[in-house]
Amino acid sequence: MPLYDYICRACGKEFEILMIGTRKAVCPACGSEDLAKQMSTFAHRTAGGSGGPGSGPGCGGCTSSNCSSCH
């Protein structure tokens, strides 16, 4: 299930939403469907734990094996 970032054109609220099935995205602040989809980033971890930043034993954003923000 993809996670998308949006900006509401009606009120300017920035938010992300998990899209499930054919559900339409709506602004959680004002309920508008007039949204602009934003570029999203993603984490990638290679098999075996090698391959640069975010591929270590910690979370997807660091290489620490005891990252407190992930556990």
Side-chain angles (χ1 to χ4, degrees):
M1 289 174 262
L3 186 65
Y4 292 106
D5 294 332
Y6 290 97
I7 294 179
C8 178
R9 290 185 180 115
C11 72
K13 170 104 174 135
E14 295 182 32
F15 62 97
E16 63 183 25
I17 188 167
L18 181 65
M19 297 304 292
I20 302 170
T22 59
R23 176 179 158 193
K24 281 203 78 106
V26 295
C27 176
C30 71
S32 175
E33 292 182 7
D34 188 12
L35 308 173
K37 191 183 286 188
Q38 301 299 297
M39 180 75 73
S40 296
T41 60
F42 60 92
H44 173 71
R45 189 181 307 197
T46 60
S50 62
S55 62
C59 68
C62 65
T63 57
S64 173
S65 61
N66 60 358
C67 177
S68 62
S69 66
C70 305
H71 301 286

